[in-house]
Amino acid sequence: MNKQEEPRTISILGSTGSIGSDTISVLQSTSTKYRVLAITAHESVELLAQQAYALEPEFVVIANKEKYRELKRLLSGTKSRLGAGDEGLLEAASLKTNWTMAAIVGAAGLKPVLTTIAHGGTVALANKESLVCAGELLAFEAKKSGATLLPVDSEHNGVFQSFDFNNPESVEKIYLTASGGPFLDCNKDDLQRVTPEQAVKHPNWDMGPKISVDSATMMNKALEVIEAFHLFPININQISVLIHPESIIHSMVSYWDGSFLAHLGNPDMKIPIAYALSWPRRMPLRGSRLDITDVGKLTFRRASQQQFPALRLANEVLEEGGGSAIVMNAANEVAVQAFLQYEISFISILKIVEASLARIQYNKADSIEEIMSIDNEARRMARNLIAALD
């Protein structure tokens, strides 16, 4: 076999979530040869085992150590090495690959992402929290190792395809679109009664529970604003958010000659995943095609910071700098989990985040240790604030 025919080596960190599962679907649909080195999951051990049988990876990791015995039983007789816990995750991330999907949800994905970046290669970033908490550190480590960071979020992936990196000064603005979630036109009384079951039912996208709740509060878009600031050579005032209920235009870039480049597509995460997997080329992908005549009309409106306070928090965090983004993300993760467990109301999520930001003194974090210290402090504060609501 000559060098051009050698299969690409791939790892999927967070393979059982929606992004990880879609990544596997894309891999299985392509004729390109690949060899999966590692797949990891938090605790979905049965699905992880099914994926291991299908992909035959060299290394399979379950983060929840209590599930390791079951994983060992399910994969008895296979050739895959097995691992568990944070140690296993970091070992999986340290395997040198051509391409890695970083799809572990939340700040838990930060250390694996940094470990992956250290050995170079291409890293497809679906873990927006890593960029939010450690954007400068990730960029520094990528430059040092020669790693390529590709955004997988549909909005940033669209901007990436439309942005003139050779002439960034010609860019006037980038526009990130948001459907507005399932409660776009609800009043405060309606929001007070929102249940977790209602919050996870996104009108357009099929996503996991945490990101679905973030979409409902617009925290997802707030995190994406911070993510865009770190991904592209722009300033805060060049990022705008538009409400676009149809979720057909994912992002736009406007230029100083009056031109707008818009990225359109069906709301299907397999499309940006396929682009990241095949970049700098494109790969054929099975699936329904966008018929713009069926859509008929595309509507937009400005995203009001009064209606969506999460967007105001994002701007304040970017202006404040330091470790404020780490606090915002950590407090939000704790609050969303509490909401999903029926411990707090839907409208209390952002109240917990804002109160955490107001109570914690944070300096700039230049290392993973400093980042995790702020993250831990913010989580403790958020839990204390939640307990005080009882």
Side-chain angles (χ1 to χ4, degrees):
M1 180 181 289
N2 64 48
K3 191 172 182 179
Q4 290 183 337
E5 294 174 335
E6 290 179 359
R8 297 178 72 198
T9 53
I10 287 172
S11 287
I12 307 171
L13 308 179
S15 66
T16 59
S18 59
I19 296 295
S21 296
D22 280 345
T23 301
I24 292 173
S25 295
V26 172
L27 286 173
Q28 292 174 329
S29 73
T30 181
S31 60
T32 302
K33 295 179 181 179
Y34 60 87
R35 180 164 58 95
V36 178
L37 297 189
I39 58 174
T40 78
H42 177 55
E43 61 180 8
S44 298
V45 65
E46 291 185 359
L47 178 55
L48 182 65
Q50 292 172 16
Q51 293 174 343
Y53 275 107
L55 299 173
E56 299 181 345
E58 296 182 8
F59 192 37
V60 181
V61 177
I62 188 76
N64 185 342
K65 290 185 176 181
E66 294 181 0
K67 301 281 187 176
Y68 177 73
R69 183 176 295 180
E70 186 176 0
L71 180 67
K72 191 174 181 179
R73 177 184 63 80
L74 289 169
L75 294 182
S76 175
T78 67
K79 295 180 180 180
S80 299
R81 288 192 305 115
L82 306 182
D86 291 341
E87 302 88 350
L89 286 178
L90 293 179
E91 183 180 350
S94 69
L95 298 177
K96 190 171 183 179
T97 60
N98 300 127
W99 190 89
T100 298
M101 169 58 76
I104 296 174
V105 176
L110 177 55
K111 286 184 179 180
V113 166
L114 283 168
T115 302
T116 297
I117 289 173
H119 61 64
T122 298
V123 182
L125 275 175
N127 175 274
K128 61 172 60 67
E129 294 86 355
S130 292
L131 275 171
V132 169
C133 296
E136 292 182 12
L137 182 58
L138 262 63
F140 174 79
E141 293 296 334
K143 184 176 181 180
K144 186 168 67 173
S145 70
T148 299
L149 305 182
L150 297 179
V152 174
D153 269 346
S154 60
E155 297 83 0
H156 304 88
N157 188 272
V159 172
F160 184 85
Q161 296 184 50
S162 306
F163 197 97
D164 187 351
F165 288 96
N166 292 322
N167 301 285
E169 72 282 353
S170 67
V171 173
E172 286 188 340
K173 272 196 171 185
I174 67 170
Y175 296 84
L176 307 177
T177 63
S179 70
F183 314 124
L184 177 58
D185 295 312
C186 290
N187 59 40
K188 189 173 182 179
D189 290 337
D190 293 332
L191 294 177
Q192 181 68 45
R193 295 188 291 269
V194 166
T195 66
E197 291 79 11
Q198 293 171 322
V200 299
K201 291 182 179 178
H202 194 279
N204 301 328
W205 294 92
D206 181 15
M207 304 181 294
K210 195 268 181 183
I211 191 173
S212 295
V213 175
D214 281 349
S215 293
T217 63
M218 286 288 277
M219 179 57 76
N220 189 50
K221 205 56 51 178
L223 296 174
E224 288 176 4
V225 167
I226 300 171
E227 186 181 4
F229 178 77
H230 290 297
L231 281 170
F232 306 108
I234 52 176
N235 60 48
I236 301 171
N237 297 326
Q238 288 177 281
I239 308 171
S240 289
V241 175
L242 296 175
I243 301 299
H244 172 49
E246 295 83 8
S247 296
I248 297 299
I249 293 181
H250 305 302
S251 58
M252 296 183 287
V253 180
S254 66
Y255 289 88
W256 60 10
D257 63 357
S259 300
F260 271 72
L261 297 183
H263 182 268
L264 288 73
N266 282 327
D268 182 352
M269 283 305 299
K270 287 189 283 293
I271 296 173
I273 290 169
Y275 180 81
L277 182 62
S278 58
W279 180 87
R281 296 176 291 276
R282 293 181 186 271
M283 61 182 285
L285 182 67
R286 293 194 297 267
S288 62
R289 295 296 188 259
L290 174 65
D291 187 337
I292 201 68
T293 59
D294 283 346
V295 176
K297 183 172 69 172
L298 301 176
T299 58
F300 303 90
R301 70 193 203 209
R302 297 185 188 280
S304 163
Q305 292 188 11
Q306 182 175 359
Q307 183 181 4
F308 304 112
L311 298 178
R312 171 179 54 79
L313 291 179
N315 285 340
E316 290 175 359
V317 159
L318 283 173
E319 291 172 359
E320 180 75 22
S324 54
I326 305 168
V327 175
M328 185 179 83
N329 178 73
N332 179 66
E333 287 188 18
V334 171
V336 169
Q337 187 62 30
F339 168 69
L340 289 171
Q341 294 175 347
Y342 303 92
E343 296 174 12
I344 63 173
S345 67
F346 179 77
I347 63 173
S348 294
I349 296 174
L350 291 184
K351 291 179 180 178
I352 295 296
V353 175
E354 192 157 15
S356 298
L357 282 166
R359 285 168 169 77
I360 295 178
Q361 297 294 319
Y362 34 76
N363 298 314
K364 185 177 180 181
D366 295 318
S367 68
I368 184 65
E369 292 77 17
E370 291 171 339
I371 290 169
M372 297 314 298
S373 175
I374 296 173
D375 178 270
N376 290 333
E377 183 181 358
R379 290 174 190 275
R380 284 194 297 271
M381 176 60 70
R383 292 188 188 102
N384 290 339
L385 290 168
I386 290 168
L389 293 176
D390 295 339

